[in-house]
Amino acid sequence: MSKISIIVPMYMEQDVVNSCYDRLTTVLSSLKSYTYELIFIDDGSTDETLSMLEEIANKDFKVKIISFSRNFGHQAAVTAGLKEANGDAIVIIDADLQDPPELIPDMLILWKQGYDIVYGKRKRRKGESAFKLFTAKVFYNTLNALSDVDIPKDTGDFKLVDRRVVDVVNAMPEHNKYLRGLFSWVGYKQKSIEYDRQERVAGKTKYTLSKMCKLASNGIIGFSSKPLKIVGGLGVFSILVSVIVLIYSLVSYFIGGPHLSAGWTSIMVIITFFSGIQLLSLWVIAEYIGKIYDESKARPQYIIDKKINIDDNKT
Ligand code: UDP
Ligand code: MG
């Protein structure tokens, strides 16, 4: 019998703890051919979240709790859950029930068909402010324009992931993980399921603007070296400008065109030329730093899906 692990990060979710547990349990206990565990991560809440979870865990031994010493953020909470989960399939879901747990059986069907990652794709997003929708849109578009991997739009962290993919992600030592990016980066057979995103059952969003910005910066910096290259492009542009100014002033000097002051011309040429050189040198240094950064993330160079006619256990 396969086991499913459900990972639920929670920060200040006292208003949704009970309904979250109830809905998940209803769905999961209806699945006759699976066992399951529920892993709740309390991300340093200062409200009643933890005590309510403890009460549930005292009655239901399928419930595991990890409690952080302070608020480390959503990605850290999910990362801790992934390390703890021991199921054959692992589901990540928000506590606020914006993503319907009722979709889990459908995800399992696709998993049984051989998909390693089944992710939820939001068709519509109900009850979210125009500001939230706008920032989300700007975020996904910027990330996709800058990033080196194709991160599917309008997907959150709601997904089912096969054990072996979780093992690969767990083995990556990088901090500041941007999990959506990583799950897309690892490859494997992936499939999306569309759904309407609901309103929060209760409480307010815990993703403040500053948390969103941090997530966006982790996403962009973790998956793209384009910002480094932009510096190089600016350098080339500066040098081009300096050459144009130089040619223009020489030509106008010799053919007696409009008399630019010699002082202005030489200062312009020197400033643009040398700032170009500086930006280009910065670019070279940035490329090296980029490589060091890449190495320090220590992501595997490749991930093998399967081997055929190769026996790894031979001596
Ligand atoms: N969350 C968390 N730590 C944080 C912020 C959020 O564990 O610092 C959890 C939160 O409890 C919820 C999930 O991450 O289960 C998504 O947060 P939220 O629903 O507030 O984000 P939104 O859906 O508005 O993007
Ligand atoms: Mg939410």
Side-chain angles (χ1 to χ4, degrees), residues 8-13 41 43 71-74 77 93-96 98 125 128 132 197 200 204-207 211-212:
V8 194
M10 286 197 171
Y11 177 56
M12 311 286 258
E13 299 286 13
I41 302 95
D43 183 11
N71 181 233
F72 282 94
H74 173 235
I93 189 166
D94 284 354
D96 57 9
Q98 283 193 282
R125 302 168 65 134
E128 287 179 298
K132 174 98 195 182
R197 195 162 207 234
R200 259 182 170 269
K204 281 208 288 274
T205 176
K206 304 301 176 308
Y207 254 99
K211 279 184 181 164
M212 284 262 287

Side-chain angles (χ1 to χ4, degrees), residues 261-299:
S261 93
W264 181 85
T265 310
S266 52
I267 286 174
M268 277 305 284
V269 170
I270 289 169
I271 290 179
T272 48
F273 183 73
F274 281 102
S275 52
I277 296 281
Q278 278 171 14
L279 284 173
L280 272 183
S281 325
L282 261 186
W283 178 34
V284 174
I285 295 171
E287 283 288 334
Y288 280 95
I289 294 180
K291 288 281 172 295
I292 298 171
Y293 176 54
D294 238 22
E295 294 293 333
S296 72
K297 280 187 287 196
R299 286 187 198 157

